[in-house]
Amino acid sequence: MIVRIMGEGQIEIAEGDLDVLNALDGELEAAIAAGDEDSFRSRLHDLLDKVRHVGKALPDDSLEPSELILPPADASMDEVREMLGNEGLIPG
């Protein structure tokens, strides 16, 4: 699966890593639902850090279609809320 972190580039994620990413996505959604800015910021950074850790960065000149688009680390809660679909940022 190819993921794009806005402002950073594309990262290839193995299907086996989606469960842990979905769990972090769920925590991020819960923080947004609670309106908890501190928890939101922490959960967003946790999710993006995990994507970077488990994924393999693609070259900047790669033109692979991104299956998921994730917000940048400095995104606001409202911006991320707008990006959430019925299944969160990372569909299960």
Side-chain angles (χ1 to χ4, degrees):
M1 171 174 286
I2 305 298
V3 176
R4 173 174 295 283
I5 298 176
M6 295 171 65
E8 291 186 34
Q10 291 182 304
I11 300 172
E12 185 172 10
I13 303 294
E15 294 294 325
D17 291 317
L18 290 179
D19 286 344
V20 69
L21 296 176
N22 273 316
L24 292 169
D25 187 35
E27 292 174 13
L28 177 64
E29 286 183 79
I32 291 171
D36 184 340
E37 181 71 34
D38 291 336
S39 182
F40 159 75
R41 185 71 38 216
S42 180
R43 299 294 77 81
L44 177 59
H45 284 264
D46 290 347
L47 175 62
L48 296 177
D49 287 346
K50 183 57 90 171
V51 167
R52 292 181 197 108
H53 178 75
V54 301
K56 176 185 163 212
L58 296 179
D60 289 338
D61 61 353
S62 176
L63 298 175
E64 299 293 321
S66 298
E67 298 170 74
L68 295 174
I69 307 287
L70 297 178
D74 62 352
S76 72
M77 194 182 313
D78 286 337
E79 290 169 329
V80 175
R81 186 179 289 119
E82 288 178 16
M83 292 180 72
L84 291 173
N86 291 338
E87 297 183 26
L89 292 173
I90 300 177

